Amino acid sequence: MNRNKLTKRFLLLSAALTMALSQSAFAGETVALNLDDAMLRAFQTNPTVSIAQYELDSARASYNAARQSRGISISANHDSKRSGNNDAPKNITNTHSNTLTAALPIFTGGKLSGSIKQAKANYQYNEVGVQRTYNEMRSTVTDGYFNMLQADNIQKLSAESVTRLEDHLKNVQAQYDVGVVAKVDVLRSQVELANAKQTLIQAENAYQVAEANMNKIVGLPMDTTLKLDNLLVYNAYDKNMDDCLAYAAEHRPELMQAKYGVDAAKGALLVARSGHMPQVSASATQALESDHWLGDNRTKWYAGINVKMNVFDTGVTLSKIHGAEADLKKAEETYRDTVNAVNLDVRSNYLGLREAEKRISTTKLAVEQADEDYRIAQLRYMSGVGTNTDVLDAQVALTQAKTNYTKALYDYNTSKTALETSIGVPMSNPATAVKVQAAKTAKAVKAAEEKTEEAAK
């Protein structure tokens, strides 16, 4: 492939990516969307991901500040004074002084180490929080995507029901016109058709709401028409309950955050207890002072050790310690409660998955049986053997069987997503993957260009 073709392909890829991420380009238009596209758009436009990243940046800065507080701090101070004597008004003195002080903490009784421990745990908490946000965003996008597919399928099934009832009404009307059936058959068929049309109107409205919700998730204008790939299919899930529980114990973000919450509480307790410990620091000061600006004469220097200890504060420090101990107990209980909640969540989603899996096979068979039953009921009615009620009942049963099958597929897919989220299957940022791929493509194009140029020489 020559250089021009490679360059053209790369430009087309860049243009396609730019258009894909544009929110305004598709206003009022139709957009074809698969699940990967939806995921990429959501990660690019949804503020939840950005908020989690900013929280992590803030926590990282606080952690760095806590670690750097162990080092030397240098401060500069300038002071200008004008003084006089009330008994001698003309005797006025100007004093200008500059000091440069370096200080280093030597012993803080656990205050610094506790602050660092607390800041580190908070940083780790938010670091896991970003992963948790990714996982939850995957769940949000997937649920919205499947919900729209489900609404579309229900809408189509409702339309099929209306079509069947319309065709059946025509047959009933034809037979009534020749005096084969009674007027009541026509009236009953008309009522059933009217009810089916009402159901179709509700299904169409539900679809429009699901579509608007999906547009909101992926950051498209609300009036955008979406065309989704049908992913409501059955793919077997091979993990058992014990595998899921074990995986969740190691990967569920909420569990890791609860652990870091305990670590942060331990750090806060160290800080509180340091109030009963001596605070030792070393300092060195260089001072300049004179009666004229800038104050750079009569140099003095100081160096020493400072020891400070709280002797009596009416119980303030003790109260802080008791509060920090209570916070630690609270964090430990929160962790224990989180473990139980995660286990329940995993079990609930796993059982829901297996229930939907069983329903898929039974409802699929029910669809085949209901379809055959409806066909037979129609033939019997046309032959004058069966009744109109038999046909209408068979039609309702067929629609319900198809709805149950679609619902089972929907429940299985959403339960699978919920289970993966509950056990903590990690989700990476697809926007980052696109950037990496674009960089690789650019690198490949550049390498191909260099190779072509080398060959030309």
Side-chain angles (χ1 to χ4, degrees):
M1 186 178 291
N2 58 38
R3 180 178 63 181
N4 291 335
K5 288 184 177 180
L6 283 171
T7 304
K8 185 177 180 180
R9 176 172 292 184
F10 178 69
L11 291 175
L12 287 173
L13 176 63
S14 301
L17 180 61
T18 302
M19 291 296 290
L21 299 179
S22 173
Q23 296 187 32
S24 59
F26 303 107
E29 298 183 8
T30 299
V31 176
L33 204 65
N34 59 36
L35 188 55
D36 290 337
D37 294 335
M39 204 72 69
L40 174 60
R41 287 179 179 276
F43 272 80
Q44 285 282 359
T45 61
N46 199 294
T48 305
V49 175
S50 299
I51 291 172
Q53 188 60 55
Y54 290 138
E55 289 176 345
L56 176 61
D57 293 342
S58 176
R60 182 188 294 111
S62 297
Y63 178 39
N64 289 335
R67 289 188 299 171
Q68 291 158 355
S69 62
R70 294 179 299 185
I72 296 176
S73 62
I74 299 176
S75 60
N77 181 65
H78 172 81
D79 187 27
S80 291
K81 296 179 181 178
R82 187 177 179 85
S83 60
N85 193 320
N86 291 332
D87 296 331
K90 294 184 178 181
N91 188 11
I92 298 175
T93 303
N94 296 321
T95 303
H96 304 278
S97 63
N98 298 287
T99 58
L100 188 66
T101 302
L104 176 68
I106 297 176
F107 178 76
T108 62
K111 183 177 182 179
L112 275 180
S113 60
S115 297
I116 294 171
K117 184 180 182 70
Q118 189 176 14
K120 180 181 180 180
N122 187 49
Y123 167 67
Q124 292 171 321
Y125 180 96
N126 283 278
E127 190 174 35
V128 175
V130 171
Q131 183 62 63
R132 178 179 177 179
T133 301
Y134 288 173
N135 293 355
E136 291 175 349
M137 181 57 64
R138 172 186 57 198
S139 179
T140 298
V141 174
T142 306
D143 286 349
Y145 194 94
F146 287 152
N147 186 49
M148 184 176 167
L149 285 178
Q150 168 74 346
D152 186 37
N153 288 334
I154 296 299
Q155 178 182 240
K156 290 175 180 176
L157 290 176
S158 298
E160 286 179 10
S161 178
V162 169
T163 300
R164 283 196 299 269
L165 287 169
E166 286 176 341
D167 292 339
H168 177 63
L169 179 58
K170 291 178 183 178
N171 293 333
V172 174
Q173 185 67 51
Q175 293 192 70
Y176 171 73
D177 291 341
V178 296
V180 176
V181 300
K183 180 67 174 178
V184 67
D185 284 3
V186 177
L187 294 175
R188 175 69 190 280
S189 299
Q190 290 173 337
V191 170
E192 290 296 328
L193 177 58
N195 291 337
K197 287 182 177 179
Q198 292 296 315
T199 302
L200 176 59
I201 292 172
Q202 293 173 343
E204 289 173 341
N205 181 70
Y207 175 78
Q208 292 174 359
V209 172
E211 185 178 50
N213 179 61
M214 193 64 202
N215 279 324
K216 176 181 179 296
I217 292 173
V218 300
L220 286 171
M222 291 294 179
D223 58 348
T224 303
T225 300
L226 299 178
K227 297 296 182 183
L228 306 184
D229 288 347
N230 189 1
L231 297 178
L232 283 180
V233 295
Y234 170 70
N235 292 315
Y237 191 77
D238 57 357
K239 289 186 175 65
N240 58 37
M241 177 80 78
D242 291 337
D243 292 336
C244 292
L245 290 171
Y247 192 93
E250 295 293 329
H251 298 88
R252 180 71 179 260
E254 286 90 331
L255 282 177
M256 289 185 275
Q257 286 184 314
K259 288 181 181 178
Y260 294 137
V262 173
D263 291 341
K266 289 179 179 178
L269 181 57
L270 285 176
V271 173
R273 287 174 174 170
S274 68
H276 281 159
M277 302 296 290
Q279 309 291 309
V280 182
S281 62
S283 64
T285 302
Q286 177 69 55
L288 301 173
E289 184 178 311
S290 69
D291 55 3
H292 65 274
W293 187 265
L294 289 169
D296 52 0
N297 293 333
R298 297 197 294 276
T299 301
K300 296 180 181 179
W301 62 269
Y302 311 91
I305 300 293
N306 177 266
V307 180
K308 181 173 66 173
M309 185 172 181
N310 174 30
V311 178
F312 179 73
D313 60 3
T314 67
V316 172
T317 298
L318 186 61
S319 295
K320 290 181 178 179
I321 292 174
H322 289 163
E325 289 173 341
D327 288 339
L328 176 57
K329 293 294 183 182
K330 175 185 174 183
E332 291 172 342
E333 288 300 308
T334 299
Y335 173 73
R336 187 171 67 86
D337 185 60
T338 303
V339 171
N340 293 333
V342 166
N343 286 338
L344 177 60
D345 193 27
V346 173
R347 289 178 183 275
S348 177
N349 289 316
Y350 183 86
L351 293 174
L353 174 76
R354 294 310 181 195
E355 177 209 338
E357 185 176 43
K358 294 175 183 177
R359 284 163 45 211
I360 289 174
S361 58
T362 57
T363 54
K364 185 177 182 181
L365 177 61
V367 169
E368 297 172 358
Q369 295 169 337
D371 189 57
E372 180 66 12
D373 180 48
Y374 179 69
R375 186 185 67 81
I376 293 173
Q378 278 188 311
L379 291 175
R380 285 172 56 83
Y381 183 73
M382 295 300 293
S383 302
V385 179
T387 65
N388 185 48
T389 301
D390 293 337
V391 178
L392 296 178
D393 288 346
Q395 195 283 140
V396 171
L398 177 57
T399 300
Q400 187 62 53
K402 288 186 174 183
T403 301
N404 290 341
Y405 176 65
T406 302
K407 184 69 165 56
L409 282 175
Y410 169 77
D411 289 345
Y412 179 80
N413 282 275
T414 53
S415 294
K416 187 176 181 180
T417 301
L419 180 59
E420 289 181 344
T421 302
S422 67
I423 67 176
V425 175
M427 170 69 188
S428 59
N429 190 332
T432 303
V434 169
K435 292 178 182 178
V436 171
Q437 185 59 43
K440 289 182 178 178
T441 303
K443 186 176 180 181
V445 170
K446 184 177 180 181
E449 290 177 346
E450 293 175 350
K451 186 175 181 180
T452 302
E453 293 174 356
E454 185 67 24
K457 293 179 182 179

